[in-house]
């Protein structure tokens, strides 16, 4: 070709736009970061739905069972013969306190006063009964006496003596059978068993 289109010298015109290496490097880095974030997010989702390694490691670990000495010790509760019970009738039925006293005496309890309930409690005990005693009775006499009359309310007063009042309530029908009361008392004095699976 000649004329104005004639190529002179050894420099030839470029037919394509020059590549921008900086843009290519940034694009590649952004792609790597995006892929990394997507992979990390996928792993997090898998951990959430499968429980991750924590559950597996907990399952692999052997269960730590407490030794027999580590279980709850047996409670030292008083024997029925060491508990002096005053029996008061807070119901309209006559003779109930005497009948209850005779039954508890057969079961080994020491019987104190047997009478109608004082005015503060007369016809004011809606349940089966109420156990009333000093603060020490809560962890001593009350649990033992409650094996004979489950569901009885328990209340402490300021007395310093060891005797306990049993105030018979309007819903009282009978004491627990001797067998049921004995098994409940045995369960109270036994230490708690070790957890299952040990």
């Amino acid at each position: 070709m000649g004329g104005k289109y004639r190529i002179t010298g050894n420099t030839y015109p470029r037919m394509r736009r020059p590549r921008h290496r900086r843009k290519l490097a940034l694009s590649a880095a952004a792609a790597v970061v995006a892929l990394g974030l997507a992979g990390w997010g996928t792993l997090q989702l898998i951990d959430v739905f499968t429980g991750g390694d924590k559950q597996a490691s907990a399952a692999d670990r052997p269960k730590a069972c407490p030794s027999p000495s580590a279980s709850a010790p047996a409670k030292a509760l008083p024997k029925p013969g060491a508990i002096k019970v005053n029996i008061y009738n807070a119901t309209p039925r006559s003779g109930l306190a005497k009948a209850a006293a005779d039954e508890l005496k057969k079961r080994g309890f020491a019987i104190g006063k047997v009478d109608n309930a004082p005015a503060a409690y007369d016809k004011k005990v809606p349940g089966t009964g109420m156990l009333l005693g000093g603060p020490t009775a809560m962890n001593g006499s009350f649990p033992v006496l409650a094996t004979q009359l489950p569901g009885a309310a328990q209340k402490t007063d300021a007395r310093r003596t060891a005797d306990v009042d049993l105030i018979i309530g309007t819903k009282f029908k009978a004491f627990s059978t001797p067998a049921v009361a004995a098994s409940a008392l045995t369960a109270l004095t036994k230490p708690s068993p070790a957890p299952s699976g040990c």
Side-chain angles (χ1 to χ4, degrees), residues 79-103:
K79 300 284 184 188
I83 302 172
K84 183 179 178 182
V85 186
N86 304 313
I87 302 173
Y88 298 103
N89 183 7
T91 75
R93 292 175 280 170
S94 61
L96 204 54
K98 176 76 170 68
D102 291 343
E103 183 59 33

Side-chain angles (χ1 to χ4, degrees), residues 71 79 106:
S71 59
K79 300 284 184 188
K106 285 180 195 174

Side-chain angles (χ1 to χ4, degrees), residues 19-34:
R19 292 181 182 172
H20 297 288
R21 290 183 183 169
R22 188 177 297 166
K23 285 185 180 178
L24 284 175
L26 286 174
S27 298
V32 169
V33 169

